[in-house]
Amino acid sequence: MKRLNNRALGILRGELQGDTRGDVGERVVRKLLLQELEGLARQEGPPLTELQLKRIIQNRYPAFKNPVIERAARANQPSKARTLAITLGGVVAGGVGLTGFVFLANLPYPMIRQPIAEHAPILLLPSFLSMDHNYREAIALVEQSDQLVNQATSAADLELGQEKVTQAQHHLDQLPVWFLGYYPQRYCTFFGCSWKFTHDEFEAARKSVGRMDVILFQERNAHDQLDEILEELNAARSQYRQATSHRGAEQALLDWQDAIDRLELIPRQTLAGELARTHLNAANRDFREARQSLNN
């Protein structure tokens, strides 16, 4: 900010240049005063007040009119709106700079984070909060997934279990693996940590998610096989009932037996395998009755 702004300088210059009083000596004084004022207009610093302007001008040229100095002093003071704008601009710029620095400090690079963790751990608060949130969510979702997947009683349980496994994997992916060995003691001092952020626990959760992914894959395959076989079984039954010849009925029974054999191959450890046992008992009973009826 200039010590004397252009508007104030214009007021003072107009008065000096319009003043024709006195002899050559007074004209020289007014010219030197104007040069001094122009020099102040080039200087950076706090704006000159009315008292400062009077001291500068009247010490050199006592005949200068006081009302003109007062008007120039008012014009030289920055407006409240401009002052507020400058202040807000500074605050915003400072905030942006701090935000940018915090963002850089929380990047997943040990060479950046480790020195900050030692000397200014509060700057890593966003990372600690994120780690805490993702850790708690991952552990809770792994436990929920385990109940749904390993103790499923219906396809709906498996479907919900798949959703929970996906969510757990997402939160595990958000955890900075390279940072697992670091225990943020200062953060835990202020906010309290009920967790131990260790490689072992992370690996256990990740392996649990991996095992459930395998189980869900097997369950999906078994369920698809069951749906396909049941469709073939129903088709064979319908073909047998609609057969118009002994040969057609025999072919239907062969397809029926083939479907029964395939039902027995569905893995028993899967939910689809348990359901297959129920269908298998009914299919065998109806098959024996159909075979006996055809032979008679």
Side-chain angles (χ1 to χ4, degrees):
M1 185 177 294
K2 303 298 182 182
R3 301 201 66 198
L4 189 65
N5 63 35
N6 291 333
R7 185 181 171 198
L9 178 61
I11 294 171
L12 297 173
R13 180 190 285 123
E15 180 64 22
L16 286 170
Q17 291 177 343
D19 191 347
T20 59
R21 293 173 295 173
D23 54 16
V24 174
E26 289 187 355
R27 290 197 295 272
V28 170
V29 169
R30 289 195 293 270
K31 183 176 181 181
L32 292 174
L33 177 57
L34 180 56
Q35 290 176 352
E36 184 176 356
L37 292 173
E38 290 173 344
L40 290 170
R42 291 190 293 270
Q43 290 181 11
E44 297 287 344
L48 292 168
T49 64
E50 180 181 334
L51 182 61
Q52 290 171 325
L53 279 175
K54 284 182 177 180
R55 186 181 300 117
I56 292 170
I57 295 172
Q58 292 181 341
N59 282 346
R60 291 157 181 74
Y61 187 46
F64 200 97
K65 297 177 183 178
N66 273 331
V68 177
I69 296 176
E70 293 169 0
R71 187 154 55 92
R74 288 195 298 271
N76 196 47
Q77 299 306 310
S79 66
K80 292 182 179 180
R82 185 168 182 266
T83 302
L84 180 61
I86 293 173
T87 302
L88 289 177
V91 171
V92 170
V96 170
L98 179 60
T99 301
F101 182 74
V102 171
F103 172 77
L104 290 174
N106 284 270
L107 288 175
Y109 302 117
M111 66 181 67
I112 296 176
R113 296 174 62 105
Q114 288 176 355
I116 294 175
E118 293 176 5
H119 302 291
I122 193 66
L123 294 178
L124 298 179
L125 184 61
S127 289
F128 295 150
L129 291 174
S130 176
M131 289 162 57
D132 198 8
H133 169 72
N134 285 303
Y135 174 86
R136 294 175 189 273
E137 289 294 317
I139 296 303
L141 288 166
V142 167
E143 293 175 355
Q144 295 171 24
S145 303
D146 182 69
Q147 293 290 323
L148 289 166
V149 174
N150 294 314
Q151 300 180 31
T153 58
S154 67
D157 287 344
L158 293 174
E159 184 176 349
L160 183 57
Q162 177 67 74
E163 181 180 337
K164 297 293 184 181
V165 167
T166 302
Q167 293 174 1
Q169 184 63 63
H170 169 75
H171 287 291
L172 287 173
D173 290 341
Q174 298 303 308
L175 293 174
V177 181
W178 60 267
F179 208 44
L180 288 172
Y182 177 79
Y183 187 70
Q185 295 179 353
R186 296 190 187 181
Y187 166 78
C188 293
T189 299
F190 291 107
F191 297 94
C193 295
S194 60
W195 45 275
K196 300 291 185 181
F197 209 35
T198 64
H199 284 281
D200 291 341
E201 193 163 14
F202 175 80
E203 288 298 327
R206 190 169 66 175
K207 288 178 181 177
S208 180
V209 168
R211 284 194 296 270
M212 285 186 283
D213 271 332
V214 171
I215 292 172
L216 288 166
F217 179 76
Q218 293 173 340
E219 290 285 357
R220 285 194 298 271
N221 283 345
H223 190 271
D224 290 343
Q225 291 177 24
L226 178 61
D227 286 344
E228 182 182 341
I229 294 169
L230 290 179
E231 186 176 342
E232 294 176 0
L233 184 60
N234 290 330
R237 282 171 169 165
S238 179
Q239 181 183 348
Y240 175 79
R241 287 193 298 269
Q242 296 174 11
T244 57
S245 64
H246 188 276
R247 184 175 181 179
E250 281 287 351
Q251 183 60 50
L253 288 176
L254 289 175
D255 293 340
W256 195 332
Q257 181 63 60
D258 182 61
I260 290 174
D261 293 341
R262 293 182 61 198
L263 273 177
E264 293 178 343
L265 296 177
I266 296 178
R268 293 177 178 271
Q269 71 272 19
T270 64
L271 178 62
E274 295 178 9
L275 296 174
R277 304 283 81 77
T278 302
H279 290 288
L280 187 61
N281 292 333
N284 275 322
R285 183 193 64 237
D286 293 344
F287 178 79
R288 287 193 297 269
E289 291 177 357
R291 170 61 69 184
Q292 185 176 5
S293 175
L294 181 63
N295 289 338
N296 292 335

